[in-house]
Amino acid sequence: MTDKQIVETELKKGLEGIIAGNSKVCLLDGENGRLEYRGYKIQDLAAHCTFEEVAYLLLYGKLPTKGDLKGFVKTLAARRKLPKPVMKTLKSLPVTMNSMEAMRTLVSALGAGIPDARKLTAEQQLDQAVTLTAAVPVLSAYFYRVKNGLPLVKPSKKLSLAANYLYMVRGAEPTQEEARAIDMDFILHAEHSFNASTFAVRVTISTLSDMFSAMVTGIGVLKGPLHGGAASQVMGMLSQIGSASNVDTYINNALANKQKIMGIGHRVYKTFDPRAVILKEEAKSFSQKKGDMKWFDMADKIETKMLKEKGLYPNVDFYSAIVYHNLGMPAEMDSDIFAIARVVGWSAHALEQYSDNRLIRPLDNYIGPVDLEFVPIEKRK
Ligand SMILES: CC(C)(COP(=O)(O)OP(=O)(O)OC[C@H]1O[C@@H](n2cnc3c(N)ncnc32)[C@H](O)[C@@H]1OP(=O)(O)O)[C@@H](O)C(=O)NCCC(=O)NCCS
Protein backbone atom coordinates (compact mmCIF):
# COMPACT_ATOMS: atom_id res chain seq x y z
CA MET A 1 0.00 0.00 0.00
CA THR A 2 1.40 3.43 -0.95
CA ASP A 3 1.40 6.39 1.46
CA LYS A 4 -1.29 8.07 -0.56
CA GLN A 5 -3.68 5.17 -0.50
CA ILE A 6 -6.43 5.41 2.06
CA VAL A 7 -8.01 2.51 3.84
CA GLU A 8 -10.74 1.14 1.60
CA THR A 9 -13.36 1.17 4.36
CA GLU A 10 -13.06 4.98 4.59
CA LEU A 11 -14.50 5.19 1.09
CA LYS A 12 -18.26 4.85 0.75
CA LYS A 13 -19.00 2.90 -2.40
CA GLY A 14 -21.06 4.83 -4.94
CA LEU A 15 -20.00 8.19 -3.44
CA GLU A 16 -22.71 7.78 -0.81
CA GLY A 17 -23.03 10.85 1.38
CA ILE A 18 -20.39 12.84 -0.57
CA ILE A 19 -21.26 16.47 -1.28
CA ALA A 20 -19.96 17.13 -4.79
CA GLY A 21 -20.72 20.83 -5.19
CA ASN A 22 -22.94 23.81 -4.35
CA SER A 23 -26.27 24.27 -6.07
CA LYS A 24 -29.27 26.60 -5.88
CA VAL A 25 -31.51 24.39 -8.02
CA CYS A 26 -32.99 21.86 -5.62
CA LEU A 27 -33.18 21.05 -1.92
CA LEU A 28 -33.37 17.32 -1.21
CA ASP A 29 -33.53 16.36 2.45
CA GLY A 30 -33.66 12.57 2.47
CA GLU A 31 -33.91 12.24 6.25
CA ASN A 32 -37.11 14.24 6.43
CA GLY A 33 -38.54 13.54 2.96
CA ARG A 34 -38.33 17.19 1.88
CA LEU A 35 -38.01 18.26 -1.73
CA GLU A 36 -38.01 21.84 -3.00
CA TYR A 37 -37.27 23.30 -6.43
CA ARG A 38 -35.52 26.66 -6.06
CA GLY A 39 -37.00 27.05 -2.59
CA TYR A 40 -40.60 26.07 -3.42
CA LYS A 41 -42.09 22.94 -1.87
CA ILE A 42 -42.80 20.17 -4.36
CA GLN A 43 -46.29 19.77 -2.85
CA ASP A 44 -47.15 23.41 -3.67
CA LEU A 45 -45.71 23.20 -7.17
CA ALA A 46 -47.57 19.95 -7.91
CA ALA A 47 -50.85 21.34 -6.59
CA HIS A 48 -50.79 24.82 -8.10
CA CYS A 49 -48.48 24.95 -11.14
CA THR A 50 -48.35 23.75 -14.71
CA PHE A 51 -45.26 21.92 -15.91
CA GLU A 52 -44.37 24.96 -18.02
CA GLU A 53 -44.41 27.17 -14.92
CA VAL A 54 -42.09 24.76 -13.12
CA ALA A 55 -39.83 24.45 -16.16
CA TYR A 56 -39.57 28.25 -16.24
CA LEU A 57 -38.78 28.31 -12.52
CA LEU A 58 -36.00 25.77 -12.93
CA LEU A 59 -34.50 27.28 -16.08
CA TYR A 60 -34.83 30.99 -15.29
CA GLY A 61 -34.53 30.75 -11.50
CA LYS A 62 -37.84 32.45 -10.66
CA LEU A 63 -41.54 31.79 -11.02
CA PRO A 64 -42.90 33.39 -14.21
CA THR A 65 -45.36 36.27 -14.29
CA LYS A 66 -48.47 35.72 -16.43
CA GLY A 67 -46.72 37.50 -19.31
CA ASP A 68 -43.51 35.49 -18.92
CA LEU A 69 -45.47 32.27 -18.92
CA LYS A 70 -47.52 33.18 -21.98
CA GLY A 71 -44.35 33.89 -23.95
CA PHE A 72 -42.62 30.74 -22.70
CA VAL A 73 -45.59 28.49 -23.55
CA LYS A 74 -45.73 30.02 -27.04
CA THR A 75 -42.00 29.49 -27.61
CA LEU A 76 -42.16 25.88 -26.44
CA ALA A 77 -45.13 25.15 -28.73
CA ALA A 78 -43.34 26.76 -31.69
CA ARG A 79 -40.27 24.57 -31.16
CA ARG A 80 -42.16 21.29 -31.48
CA LYS A 81 -41.24 21.12 -35.15
CA LEU A 82 -38.17 18.95 -35.66
CA PRO A 83 -35.52 19.85 -38.27
CA LYS A 84 -35.67 17.78 -41.48
CA PRO A 85 -32.35 15.91 -40.91
CA VAL A 86 -33.61 14.81 -37.49
CA MET A 87 -36.84 13.51 -39.06
CA LYS A 88 -34.74 11.66 -41.61
CA THR A 89 -32.58 10.11 -38.88
CA LEU A 90 -35.72 9.17 -36.95
CA LYS A 91 -37.19 7.27 -39.87
CA SER A 92 -33.90 5.47 -40.51
CA LEU A 93 -33.48 4.08 -36.98
CA PRO A 94 -33.83 0.31 -36.53
CA VAL A 95 -37.22 -0.40 -34.96
CA THR A 96 -35.52 -2.94 -32.72
CA MET A 97 -34.03 0.00 -30.86
CA ASN A 98 -35.20 0.65 -27.33
CA SER A 99 -36.99 4.00 -27.00
CA MET A 100 -34.31 5.46 -24.71
CA GLU A 101 -31.57 4.44 -27.14
CA ALA A 102 -33.52 6.18 -29.88
CA MET A 103 -33.93 9.29 -27.74
CA ARG A 104 -30.19 9.38 -27.06
CA THR A 105 -29.44 9.11 -30.78
CA LEU A 106 -32.02 11.68 -31.83
CA VAL A 107 -30.93 14.28 -29.27
CA SER A 108 -27.45 13.85 -30.67
CA ALA A 109 -28.82 14.43 -34.19
CA LEU A 110 -30.69 17.50 -32.93
CA GLY A 111 -27.40 18.97 -31.77
CA ALA A 112 -25.64 18.47 -35.10
CA GLY A 113 -23.56 21.45 -36.16
CA ILE A 114 -24.04 23.55 -33.03
CA PRO A 115 -21.23 25.98 -32.29
CA ASP A 116 -18.55 25.43 -29.68
CA ALA A 117 -20.07 26.02 -26.22
CA ARG A 118 -17.30 28.50 -25.39
CA LYS A 119 -18.56 30.81 -28.13
CA LEU A 120 -22.12 30.88 -26.78
CA THR A 121 -23.51 33.45 -24.37
CA ALA A 122 -25.48 32.39 -21.29
CA GLU A 123 -28.67 33.47 -23.11
CA GLN A 124 -27.83 31.26 -26.09
CA GLN A 125 -27.22 28.29 -23.81
CA LEU A 126 -30.53 28.90 -22.08
CA ASP A 127 -32.17 29.12 -25.49
CA GLN A 128 -30.77 25.67 -26.36
CA ALA A 129 -32.25 24.33 -23.13
CA VAL A 130 -35.66 25.68 -24.20
CA THR A 131 -35.30 23.99 -27.61
CA LEU A 132 -34.41 20.69 -25.94
CA THR A 133 -37.33 20.96 -23.50
CA ALA A 134 -39.72 21.42 -26.43
CA ALA A 135 -38.20 18.91 -28.86
CA VAL A 136 -37.36 15.84 -26.74
CA PRO A 137 -41.02 14.85 -26.11
CA VAL A 138 -41.73 15.18 -29.82
CA LEU A 139 -38.89 12.94 -30.93
CA SER A 140 -39.81 10.37 -28.28
CA ALA A 141 -43.46 10.28 -29.41
CA TYR A 142 -42.49 10.11 -33.10
CA PHE A 143 -40.11 7.22 -32.52
CA TYR A 144 -42.81 5.29 -30.63
CA ARG A 145 -45.19 5.71 -33.57
CA VAL A 146 -42.54 4.74 -36.17
CA LYS A 147 -41.40 1.73 -34.12
CA ASN A 148 -44.95 0.46 -33.84
CA GLY A 149 -45.86 1.11 -37.48
CA LEU A 150 -48.38 3.81 -36.54
CA PRO A 151 -48.96 7.02 -38.50
CA LEU A 152 -47.21 10.07 -37.03
CA VAL A 153 -49.39 12.48 -35.06
CA LYS A 154 -48.46 16.13 -35.65
CA PRO A 155 -47.86 18.16 -32.49
CA SER A 156 -50.74 20.33 -31.32
CA LYS A 157 -49.95 23.96 -30.50
CA LYS A 158 -52.97 24.30 -28.28
CA LEU A 159 -52.04 21.53 -25.84
CA SER A 160 -49.58 21.86 -22.97
CA LEU A 161 -46.18 20.19 -23.34
CA ALA A 162 -47.17 17.12 -21.30
CA ALA A 163 -50.70 16.80 -22.74
CA ASN A 164 -49.29 17.12 -26.25
CA TYR A 165 -46.86 14.29 -25.53
CA LEU A 166 -49.71 12.06 -24.40
CA TYR A 167 -51.66 13.04 -27.52
CA MET A 168 -48.76 12.34 -29.87
CA VAL A 169 -48.07 8.89 -28.38
CA ARG A 170 -51.69 7.71 -28.05
CA GLY A 171 -53.17 9.55 -31.01
CA ALA A 172 -56.12 10.67 -28.86
CA GLU A 173 -56.38 14.03 -27.13
CA PRO A 174 -56.36 13.72 -23.34
CA THR A 175 -59.31 14.71 -21.18
CA GLN A 176 -58.75 17.61 -18.79
CA GLU A 177 -58.19 15.18 -15.96
CA GLU A 178 -55.66 13.15 -17.95
CA ALA A 179 -53.85 16.32 -19.01
CA ARG A 180 -53.61 17.44 -15.39
CA ALA A 181 -52.34 14.02 -14.27
CA ILE A 182 -49.51 13.87 -16.83
CA ASP A 183 -48.64 17.50 -16.16
CA MET A 184 -48.30 16.84 -12.44
CA ASP A 185 -46.24 13.75 -13.14
CA PHE A 186 -43.87 15.83 -15.31
CA ILE A 187 -43.52 18.36 -12.46
CA LEU A 188 -42.59 15.59 -10.03
CA HIS A 189 -39.95 14.18 -12.39
CA ALA A 190 -38.43 17.50 -13.46
CA GLU A 191 -35.57 17.76 -10.98
CA HIS A 192 -33.84 15.86 -8.20
CA SER A 193 -30.47 17.37 -7.20
CA PHE A 194 -27.17 15.54 -7.81
CA ASN A 195 -28.58 12.16 -8.87
CA ALA A 196 -26.46 9.99 -11.17
CA SER A 197 -27.66 11.47 -14.49
CA THR A 198 -27.57 15.09 -13.28
CA PHE A 199 -24.09 14.66 -11.90
CA ALA A 200 -23.00 13.14 -15.22
CA VAL A 201 -24.54 16.12 -17.02
CA ARG A 202 -22.56 18.50 -14.82
CA VAL A 203 -19.34 16.56 -15.45
CA THR A 204 -19.98 16.84 -19.20
CA ILE A 205 -20.60 20.58 -18.99
CA SER A 206 -17.53 21.07 -16.79
CA THR A 207 -15.32 20.18 -19.77
CA LEU A 208 -17.09 23.08 -21.59
CA SER A 209 -18.82 20.60 -23.82
CA ASP A 210 -22.21 21.62 -25.21
CA MET A 211 -25.77 21.32 -23.94
CA PHE A 212 -26.78 18.61 -26.44
CA SER A 213 -23.84 16.39 -25.47
CA ALA A 214 -24.78 16.88 -21.83
CA MET A 215 -28.36 15.76 -22.54
CA VAL A 216 -27.07 12.70 -24.41
CA THR A 217 -24.99 11.89 -21.32
CA GLY A 218 -28.03 12.38 -19.10
CA ILE A 219 -30.22 10.08 -21.19
CA GLY A 220 -27.52 7.41 -21.32
CA VAL A 221 -27.14 7.44 -17.55
CA LEU A 222 -30.85 7.68 -16.79
CA LYS A 223 -31.69 4.66 -18.91
CA GLY A 224 -29.96 2.23 -16.52
CA PRO A 225 -32.34 0.04 -14.48
CA LEU A 226 -31.06 1.37 -11.15
CA HIS A 227 -32.09 4.90 -12.22
CA GLY A 228 -34.85 5.91 -14.67
CA GLY A 229 -34.79 2.54 -16.41
CA ALA A 230 -36.68 1.17 -13.38
CA ALA A 231 -39.77 3.13 -14.46
CA SER A 232 -40.39 0.98 -17.52
CA GLN A 233 -40.00 -2.23 -15.51
CA VAL A 234 -42.51 -1.61 -12.73
CA MET A 235 -45.62 -2.42 -14.78
CA GLY A 236 -43.95 -5.55 -16.19
CA MET A 237 -43.24 -6.70 -12.63
CA LEU A 238 -46.85 -6.07 -11.58
CA SER A 239 -48.10 -8.07 -14.59
CA GLN A 240 -45.75 -10.88 -13.66
CA ILE A 241 -47.05 -10.93 -10.08
CA GLY A 242 -50.59 -11.04 -11.46
CA SER A 243 -52.65 -10.38 -8.33
CA ALA A 244 -52.38 -9.04 -4.78
CA SER A 245 -52.59 -12.58 -3.40
CA ASN A 246 -49.27 -13.43 -5.11
CA VAL A 247 -47.36 -10.47 -3.68
CA ASP A 248 -45.97 -12.17 -0.56
CA THR A 249 -44.63 -15.19 -2.45
CA TYR A 250 -43.14 -13.03 -5.22
CA ILE A 251 -41.36 -10.70 -2.79
CA ASN A 252 -40.14 -13.53 -0.56
CA ASN A 253 -38.63 -15.28 -3.60
CA ALA A 254 -37.13 -12.08 -4.97
CA LEU A 255 -35.51 -11.17 -1.67
CA ALA A 256 -34.20 -14.71 -1.17
CA ASN A 257 -32.58 -14.45 -4.62
CA LYS A 258 -31.18 -10.94 -3.94
CA GLN A 259 -33.36 -9.61 -6.75
CA LYS A 260 -34.27 -5.91 -6.68
CA ILE A 261 -37.90 -4.82 -6.64
CA MET A 262 -38.21 -2.07 -9.22
CA GLY A 263 -39.55 1.27 -8.00
CA ILE A 264 -38.53 0.55 -4.41
CA GLY A 265 -35.60 2.04 -2.48
CA HIS A 266 -33.58 5.19 -2.83
CA ARG A 267 -30.02 6.23 -2.11
CA VAL A 268 -31.00 9.48 -0.37
CA TYR A 269 -34.51 9.09 1.07
CA LYS A 270 -34.59 7.38 4.44
CA THR A 271 -38.32 7.95 4.70
CA PHE A 272 -41.20 8.41 2.23
CA ASP A 273 -40.23 9.97 -1.09
CA PRO A 274 -42.60 13.00 -1.19
CA ARG A 275 -43.09 12.49 -4.93
CA ALA A 276 -44.25 8.92 -4.38
CA VAL A 277 -46.72 10.13 -1.73
CA ILE A 278 -48.36 12.48 -4.24
CA LEU A 279 -48.26 9.90 -7.04
CA LYS A 280 -49.79 7.24 -4.79
CA GLU A 281 -52.82 9.48 -4.20
CA GLU A 282 -53.04 10.18 -7.92
CA ALA A 283 -52.78 6.48 -8.79
CA LYS A 284 -55.45 5.63 -6.22
CA SER A 285 -58.01 8.20 -7.32
CA PHE A 286 -57.39 7.41 -11.02
CA SER A 287 -57.81 3.68 -10.39
CA GLN A 288 -61.00 4.28 -8.39
CA LYS A 289 -62.47 6.38 -11.18
CA LYS A 290 -61.56 3.74 -13.76
CA GLY A 291 -63.03 1.05 -11.50
CA ASP A 292 -59.84 -0.98 -11.73
CA MET A 293 -58.04 -1.29 -8.39
CA LYS A 294 -56.06 -4.41 -9.33
CA TRP A 295 -52.72 -2.70 -9.95
CA PHE A 296 -53.04 -0.20 -7.14
CA ASP A 297 -53.93 -2.86 -4.56
CA MET A 298 -50.96 -4.95 -5.66
CA ALA A 299 -48.60 -1.98 -5.45
CA ASP A 300 -49.94 -0.99 -2.04
CA LYS A 301 -49.30 -4.50 -0.77
CA ILE A 302 -45.75 -4.47 -2.17
CA GLU A 303 -45.11 -1.16 -0.43
CA THR A 304 -46.24 -2.56 2.95
CA LYS A 305 -44.26 -5.76 2.50
CA MET A 306 -41.02 -4.01 1.45
CA LEU A 307 -41.26 -1.59 4.36
CA LYS A 308 -41.72 -4.50 6.78
CA GLU A 309 -39.05 -6.76 5.27
CA LYS A 310 -36.34 -4.26 4.30
CA GLY A 311 -37.36 -0.86 5.67
CA LEU A 312 -37.50 0.43 2.07
CA TYR A 313 -39.99 2.93 0.63
CA PRO A 314 -41.42 3.35 -2.86
CA ASN A 315 -39.66 5.87 -5.09
CA VAL A 316 -40.98 8.14 -7.85
CA ASP A 317 -41.07 5.30 -10.40
CA PHE A 318 -43.41 3.06 -8.42
CA TYR A 319 -46.88 4.62 -8.41
CA SER A 320 -46.19 6.68 -11.54
CA ALA A 321 -46.27 3.38 -13.46
CA ILE A 322 -49.92 2.94 -12.44
CA VAL A 323 -50.75 6.53 -13.35
CA TYR A 324 -49.25 5.99 -16.83
CA HIS A 325 -51.08 2.70 -17.21
CA ASN A 326 -54.37 4.46 -16.43
CA LEU A 327 -53.45 7.12 -18.97
CA GLY A 328 -53.12 4.44 -21.64
CA MET A 329 -49.35 4.91 -21.99
CA PRO A 330 -47.38 1.85 -23.11
CA ALA A 331 -45.12 0.73 -20.22
CA GLU A 332 -42.04 0.84 -22.49
CA MET A 333 -42.43 4.65 -22.57
CA ASP A 334 -42.31 5.15 -18.78
CA SER A 335 -38.55 5.84 -18.80
CA ASP A 336 -39.00 8.24 -21.72
CA ILE A 337 -41.44 10.29 -19.63
CA PHE A 338 -38.85 10.48 -16.84
CA ALA A 339 -36.19 11.69 -19.28
CA ILE A 340 -38.46 14.22 -21.03
CA ALA A 341 -39.36 15.90 -17.75
CA ARG A 342 -35.79 15.68 -16.45
CA VAL A 343 -34.36 17.56 -19.45
CA VAL A 344 -35.44 20.68 -17.56
CA GLY A 345 -33.59 19.73 -14.37
CA TRP A 346 -30.50 18.65 -16.31
CA SER A 347 -30.56 21.96 -18.16
CA ALA A 348 -30.89 23.99 -14.96
CA HIS A 349 -27.82 22.21 -13.58
CA ALA A 350 -25.94 22.59 -16.86
CA LEU A 351 -26.57 26.35 -16.86
CA GLU A 352 -25.52 26.59 -13.21
CA GLN A 353 -22.34 24.65 -13.97
CA TYR A 354 -21.48 26.92 -16.95
CA SER A 355 -22.05 30.01 -14.81
CA ASP A 356 -19.38 29.07 -12.26
CA ASN A 357 -17.36 26.35 -13.88
CA ARG A 358 -14.30 24.41 -12.87
CA LEU A 359 -13.41 21.09 -14.49
CA ILE A 360 -14.81 18.21 -12.41
CA ARG A 361 -11.92 15.84 -11.99
CA PRO A 362 -11.87 13.71 -8.84
CA LEU A 363 -9.18 11.27 -7.74
CA ASP A 364 -9.34 7.55 -7.33
CA ASN A 365 -7.89 5.46 -4.56
CA TYR A 366 -5.53 3.20 -6.52
CA ILE A 367 -5.61 -0.31 -5.04
CA GLY A 368 -3.75 -2.23 -7.76
CA PRO A 369 -0.15 -3.49 -7.67
CA VAL A 370 2.82 -1.09 -7.87
CA ASP A 371 6.42 -1.20 -9.14
CA LEU A 372 6.08 -4.57 -10.91
CA GLU A 373 9.14 -5.82 -12.76
CA PHE A 374 8.61 -5.25 -16.51
CA VAL A 375 8.72 -8.48 -18.56
CA PRO A 376 9.49 -8.14 -22.34
CA ILE A 377 6.83 -9.74 -24.58
CA GLU A 378 9.14 -12.60 -25.66
CA LYS A 379 9.55 -13.70 -22.05
CA ARG A 380 5.91 -13.45 -20.93
CA LYS A 381 4.11 -16.66 -20.08
C1 LIG B 1 -32.25 3.01 -5.92
C2 LIG B 1 -31.18 2.01 -5.52
C3 LIG B 1 -30.24 1.78 -6.68
C4 LIG B 1 -30.39 2.59 -4.33
O1 LIG B 1 -29.34 1.72 -4.12
P1 LIG B 1 -28.27 1.82 -2.95
O2 LIG B 1 -28.40 3.06 -2.17
O3 LIG B 1 -26.95 1.55 -3.58
O4 LIG B 1 -28.69 0.64 -2.02
P2 LIG B 1 -28.18 -0.85 -2.14
O5 LIG B 1 -28.41 -1.38 -3.50
O6 LIG B 1 -26.80 -0.89 -1.58
O7 LIG B 1 -29.18 -1.56 -1.16
C5 LIG B 1 -29.08 -1.56 0.27
C6 LIG B 1 -29.86 -2.76 0.77
O8 LIG B 1 -31.23 -2.63 0.41
C7 LIG B 1 -31.59 -3.65 -0.53
N1 LIG B 1 -32.39 -3.04 -1.59
C8 LIG B 1 -32.30 -1.77 -2.06
N2 LIG B 1 -33.21 -1.58 -2.98
C9 LIG B 1 -33.90 -2.72 -3.10
C10 LIG B 1 -34.97 -3.13 -3.91
N3 LIG B 1 -35.51 -2.29 -4.78
N4 LIG B 1 -35.42 -4.38 -3.79
C11 LIG B 1 -34.87 -5.23 -2.91
N5 LIG B 1 -33.86 -4.91 -2.11
C12 LIG B 1 -33.37 -3.66 -2.21
C13 LIG B 1 -30.29 -4.21 -1.06
O9 LIG B 1 -30.43 -5.51 -1.53
C14 LIG B 1 -29.41 -4.09 0.13
O10 LIG B 1 -29.78 -5.10 1.04
P3 LIG B 1 -28.68 -5.85 1.95
O11 LIG B 1 -28.03 -4.77 2.77
O12 LIG B 1 -29.49 -6.82 2.73
O13 LIG B 1 -27.73 -6.49 0.97
C15 LIG B 1 -31.84 0.67 -5.09
O14 LIG B 1 -32.73 0.89 -4.03
C16 LIG B 1 -32.51 -0.04 -6.25
O15 LIG B 1 -31.85 -0.75 -6.99
N6 LIG B 1 -33.85 0.13 -6.39
C17 LIG B 1 -34.55 -0.48 -7.51
C18 LIG B 1 -34.37 0.32 -8.77
C19 LIG B 1 -35.15 1.60 -8.74
O16 LIG B 1 -36.33 1.64 -8.44
N7 LIG B 1 -34.48 2.69 -9.13
C20 LIG B 1 -35.09 3.99 -9.25
C21 LIG B 1 -34.50 4.92 -8.27
S1 LIG B 1 -35.31 6.50 -8.33
Side-chain angles (χ1 to χ4, degrees):
M1 190 159 143
T2 64
D3 293 348
K4 278 195 167 176
Q5 281 175 346
I6 52 172
V7 185
E8 238 186 295
T9 51
E10 284 176 14
L11 272 179
K12 283 255 186 155
K13 232 176 152 182
L15 299 182
E16 184 180 344
I18 303 290
I19 294 171
N22 292 328
S23 178
K24 290 182 181 169
V25 181
C26 175
L27 168 83
L28 169 47
D29 170 2
E31 290 298 325
N32 299 300
R34 274 173 74 207
L35 177 62
E36 298 186 1
Y37 296 169
R38 297 212 184 266
Y40 295 98
K41 290 186 194 66
I42 191 70
Q43 292 84 352
D44 287 338
L45 297 174
H48 305 298
C49 288
T50 60
F51 174 68
E52 280 83 347
E53 248 177 298
V54 171
Y56 189 99
L57 169 69
L58 287 166
L59 294 174
Y60 293 82
K62 64 179 180 77
L63 280 170
T65 61
K66 273 189 185 168
D68 294 335
L69 186 61
K70 203 172 162 200
F72 186 54
V73 167
K74 208 171 157 196
T75 306
L76 286 173
R79 295 192 191 182
R80 285 180 192 155
K81 193 169 164 37
L82 300 182
K84 278 200 181 111
V86 177
M87 288 304 289
K88 215 172 152 193
T89 310
L90 177 107
K91 288 176 183 165
S92 72
L93 292 179
V95 291
T96 48
M97 235 178 175
N98 163 294
S99 62
M100 289 289 280
E101 291 163 357
M103 184 191 287
R104 193 187 55 202
T105 308
L106 293 168
V107 169
S108 195
L110 196 63
I114 47 147
D116 185 333
R118 285 170 302 181
K119 296 191 182 120
L120 297 177
T121 61
E123 284 71 30
Q124 286 170 319
Q125 279 151 348
L126 176 54
D127 194 63
Q128 289 185 340
V130 174
T131 297
L132 281 153
T133 304
V136 175
V138 177
L139 50 87
S140 161
Y142 275 159
F143 180 72
Y144 170 76
R145 306 281 301 181
V146 170
K147 182 180 164 95
N148 291 283
L150 298 165
L152 296 189
V153 176
K154 278 200 175 157
S156 156
K157 279 193 183 165
K158 67 179 188 0
L159 292 174
S160 71
L161 185 143
N164 177 61
Y165 179 63
L166 199 56
Y167 166 60
M168 290 183 70
V169 171
R170 299 189 319 188
E173 278 201 23
T175 62
Q176 242 183 351
E177 193 189 13
E178 287 176 332
R180 179 64 199 142
I182 189 91
D183 210 56
M184 195 175 78
D185 181 89
F186 271 44
I187 292 171
L188 297 174
H189 279 87
E191 162 56 13
H192 212 225
S193 81
F194 276 36
N195 54 78
S197 56
T198 303
F199 184 59
V201 162
R202 293 192 72 127
V203 172
T204 308
I205 294 293
S206 85
T207 69
L208 293 185
S209 186
D210 62 277
M211 194 68 95
F212 292 85
S213 301
M215 296 302 123
V216 171
T217 305
I219 295 162
V221 175
L222 186 81
K223 107 185 230 301
L226 296 187
H227 196 0
S232 285
Q233 295 186 31
V234 172
M235 216 51 219
M237 179 184 73
L238 295 180
S239 306
Q240 209 187 326
I241 298 174
S243 78
S245 60
N246 296 333
V247 164
D248 281 353
T249 315
Y250 181 91
I251 302 284
N252 288 340
N253 284 339
L255 294 182
N257 293 312
K258 296 254 168 229
Q259 193 189 316
K260 292 270 178 81
I261 306 300
M262 289 296 124
I264 301 286
H266 199 273
R267 171 61 64 76
V268 184
Y269 289 116
K270 301 300 169 217
T271 179
F272 283 100
D273 176 336
R275 303 166 302 171
V277 174
I278 300 171
L279 286 162
K280 182 175 182 180
E281 273 311 302
E282 187 67 22
K284 189 176 179 183
S285 79
F286 233 122
S287 304
Q288 280 167 339
K289 277 179 202 147
K290 292 232 161 179
D292 177 10
M293 296 303 287
K294 177 182 166 179
W295 308 107
F296 179 83
D297 288 345
M298 222 189 290
D300 192 37
K301 206 165 167 192
I302 295 172
E303 175 187 324
T304 309
K305 174 90 176 155
M306 287 302 287
L307 194 54
K308 182 168 161 248
E309 299 292 334
K310 300 286 294 183
L312 295 172
Y313 298 85
N315 60 51
V316 70
D317 291 334
F318 196 59
Y319 287 104
S320 57
I322 297 174
V323 174
Y324 303 148
H325 177 74
N326 282 322
L327 288 171
M329 282 299 284
E332 63 183 281
M333 302 303 278
D334 292 2
S335 299
D336 282 49
I337 299 179
F338 195 155
I340 291 165
R342 190 54 62 84
V343 163
V344 170
W346 289 333
S347 300
H349 280 276
L351 296 168
E352 188 175 60
Q353 184 68 35
Y354 274 136
S355 70
D356 184 23
N357 188 53
R358 189 166 185 226
L359 177 73
I360 297 174
R361 203 299 185 196
L363 299 174
D364 69 338
N365 179 40
Y366 177 70
I367 55 166
V370 292
D371 300 336
L372 297 177
E373 190 184 336
F374 181 76
V375 184
I377 196 159
E378 307 77 41
K379 293 193 176 165
R380 284 177 218 158
K381 291 184 189 142

